[in-house]
C-alpha cells in the first residue's frame, strides 16, 4: 500500500488528503493547526508530530502551502532539517501550492541533486473540486516525475496536464488565474450594468451564457447573489477562493510579466481592483465578491 505524507491541510489540502484516503492509501498528515489534523484523523489519516516526521519513509510527499518562502523553507530547510534531508531514496515529491516559478525551480534542482523527482502541480477547481476529486493539476517537472505523479494526482483530480519542465506548472497556473480574475471583474461589471438598467440578473446570465460573452464565471460561479445556488455569492461570499489569495496570484503574474517584459494591462488592472477590494476588509471573502464594487448605492 502506498504511503503518502500530506503537509498543509487548509481549505484545499484537507479535502485532497481525504480523497487519497478514499483511494486506499495510507496517509500521514501534518499541519500547524491541530484541529485540521484531528479532522483528518477522524477520516482515517495518521497524524504526525512534524512535517519531517510525516515525510520520513513515505513513498510520496504532497505539500499545499501558502507561498514560495514556505515551500523553500520546508523542503530545503533553514535553521532545521528540510524534507530533502529526511525523505527516503526514491520518494516522489509533489507540491500543489501556487507559488513563484523560481521557488519551484530551486526546490526541483535541489531535489534532483539528491536523485529525487520533484513535480510542481498547482491546482484549479476550487474547494468544490477538491472535495469532489475533480481538480485540474497543472504540472511542471521531468517526464519521469510526471509519469510517477499522475496516478497519485488522478486520485484527487479529473484533468492532469504536463505543462513542461520544472516551474512550468506554476507559470501556467498564474496565467490561468490572471485570466480568471479578468473574467470575474468583467462579468461582475456586465451584470451590474444590466441590473442598473432594469434587467433580471438571472435572465441576463442565461442570455450571456449562450452568447458570445459566455465564460466559466457565468456557467459555474456566478458572482451575483441569488442567481446560482451553492456558490459563494449565494452564501454571503463565504468559502471558495479568498480575495487575499487572488491578490497573491495576481502579484505573481505581474512579477512574471516584469521578468519576461510581457504586456499584461488587464492583469495589472485586475490586481489593482482586487488589492483595493482587499483593503476594504474583504480579504477573506470569496473573490467573486468583487461584484460588490460595481453595485449602485440605493
Amino acid at each position: 500500500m502506498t504511503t503518502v505524507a500530506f503537509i498543509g491541510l487548509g481549505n484545499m489540502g484537507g479535502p485532497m488528503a481525504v480523497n487519497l484516503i478514499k483511494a486506499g492509501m495510507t496517509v500521514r498528515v501534518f499541519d500547524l493547526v491541530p484541529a485540521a489534523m484531528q479532522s483528518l484523523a477522524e477520516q482515517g489519516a495518521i497524524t504526525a508530530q512534524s512535517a519531517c516526521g510525516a515525510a520520513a519513509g513515505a513513498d510520496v510527499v504532497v505539500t499545499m502551502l501558502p507561498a514560495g518562502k514556505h515551500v523553500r523553507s520546508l523542503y530545503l530547510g533553514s535553521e532545521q532539517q528540510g524534507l530533502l534531508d529526511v525523505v527516503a531514496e526514491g520518494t516522489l515529491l509533489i507540491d500543489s501550492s501556487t507559488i513563484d516559478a523560481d521557488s519551484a525551480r530551486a526546490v526541483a534542482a535541489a531535489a534532483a541533486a539528491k536523485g529525487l523527482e520533484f513535480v510542481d502541480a498547482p491546482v484549479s477547481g476550487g474547494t468544490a473540486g477538491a472535495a469532489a476529486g475533480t481538480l485540474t493539476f497543472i504540472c511542471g517537472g521531468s517526464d519521469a516525475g510526471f509519469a510517477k505523479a499522475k496516478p497519485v494526482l488522478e486520485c484527487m483530480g479529473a484533468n492532469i496536464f504536463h505543462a513542461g519542465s520544472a516551474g512550468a506548472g506554476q507559470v501556467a497556473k498564474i496565467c490561468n488565474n490572471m485570466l480568471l480574475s479578468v473574467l470575474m471583474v468583467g462579468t461582475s461589471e456586465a451584470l451590474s450594468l444590466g441590473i442598473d438598467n432594469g434587467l433580471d440578473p438571472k435572465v441576463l446570465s442565461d442570455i450571456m451564457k449562450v452568447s458570445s460573452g459566455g465564460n466559466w464565471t457565468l456557467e459555474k460561479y456566478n458572482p451575483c447573489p441569488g442567481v446560482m445556488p451553492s456558490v459563494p455569492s449565494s452564501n454571503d461570499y463565504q468559502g471558495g477562493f479568498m480575495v487575499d489569495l487572488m491578490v497573491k496570484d495576481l502579484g505573481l503574474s505581474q512579477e512574471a510579466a516584469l521578468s519576461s517584459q510581457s504586456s499584461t494591462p488587464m492583469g495589472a488592472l485586475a490586481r489593482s481592483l482586487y488589492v483595493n477590494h482587499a483593503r476594504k476588509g474583504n480579504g477573506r471573502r470569496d473573490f467573486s465578491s468583487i461584484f460588490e464594487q460595481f453595485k449602485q448605492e440605493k
Side-chain angles (χ1 to χ4, degrees):
M1 182 181 294
T2 300
T3 298
V4 180
F6 204 110
I7 301 162
L9 305 171
N11 291 338
M12 295 293 292
M16 290 165 64
V18 168
N19 284 323
L20 292 174
I21 295 169
K22 290 178 179 178
M25 298 183 182
T26 299
V27 179
R28 298 203 298 252
V29 298
F30 178 75
D31 193 277
L32 294 175
V33 179
M37 287 197 288
Q38 181 57 36
S39 177
L40 266 292
E42 292 170 359
Q43 301 189 64
I46 300 167
T47 60
Q49 297 299 309
S50 67
C52 286
D59 301 303
V60 181
V61 174
V62 181
T63 49
M64 177 64 90
L65 304 172
K69 63 181 181 181
H70 304 110
V71 174
R72 283 177 181 260
S73 177
L74 179 64
Y75 280 94
L76 305 181
S78 51
E79 297 178 358
Q80 55 188 7
Q81 282 186 314
L83 296 188
L84 296 185
D85 297 317
V86 302
V87 294
E89 182 180 350
T91 300
L92 172 65
L93 309 171
I94 301 172
D95 179 51
S96 287
S97 318
T98 297
I99 61 173
D100 60 290
D102 284 344
S103 288
R105 293 179 185 125
V107 176
K114 291 178 176 286
L116 299 166
E117 294 286 355
F118 175 87
V119 176
D120 53 286
V123 302
S124 180
T127 53
T134 58
L135 291 170
T136 294
F137 285 89
I138 310 165
C139 303
S142 70
D143 289 342
F146 176 72
K148 288 180 66 177
K150 190 174 182 181
V152 178
L153 299 179
E154 286 175 337
C155 297
M156 302 178 284
N159 303 291
I160 320 295
F161 293 99
H162 190 195
S165 59
Q170 299 298 343
V171 174
K173 172 64 188 295
I174 61 174
C175 290
N176 177 77
N177 276 21
M178 185 179 74
L179 176 58
L180 174 60
S181 72
V182 171
L183 290 172
M184 185 59 79
V185 170
T187 297
S188 297
E189 188 176 44
L191 287 172
S192 296
L193 175 63
I195 292 167
D196 292 345
N197 284 276
L199 294 184
D200 181 323
K202 185 174 189 318
V203 173
L204 178 57
S205 295
D206 288 341
I207 291 168
M208 293 195 295
K209 276 194 297 186
V210 295
S211 301
S212 55
N215 65 74
W216 184 87
T217 65
L218 285 168
E219 295 171 1
K220 304 287 187 181
Y221 217 86
N222 198 292
C224 181
V227 171
M228 185 178 288
S230 304
V231 297
S233 63
S234 293
N235 186 36
D236 193 30
Y237 298 104
Q238 299 305 303
F241 186 63
M242 291 192 302
V243 169
D244 283 343
L245 294 177
M246 180 58 84
V247 169
K248 182 199 79 169
D249 289 0
L250 287 169
L252 292 174
S253 75
Q254 295 312 294
E255 289 172 9
L258 284 171
S259 67
S260 60
Q261 297 187 328
S262 301
S263 176
T264 56
M266 297 297 290
L269 177 57
R271 180 183 177 275
S272 180
L273 289 169
Y274 271 103
V275 166
N276 184 59
H277 189 49
R279 286 178 174 175
K280 293 180 178 179
N282 298 296
R284 298 192 65 80
R285 303 177 81 196
D286 182 71
F287 82 109
S288 61
S289 62
I290 196 74
F291 176 81
E292 294 187 340
Q293 297 299 303
F294 299 97
K295 288 172 59 178
Q296 279 191 1
E297 294 296 331
K298 303 298 184 183

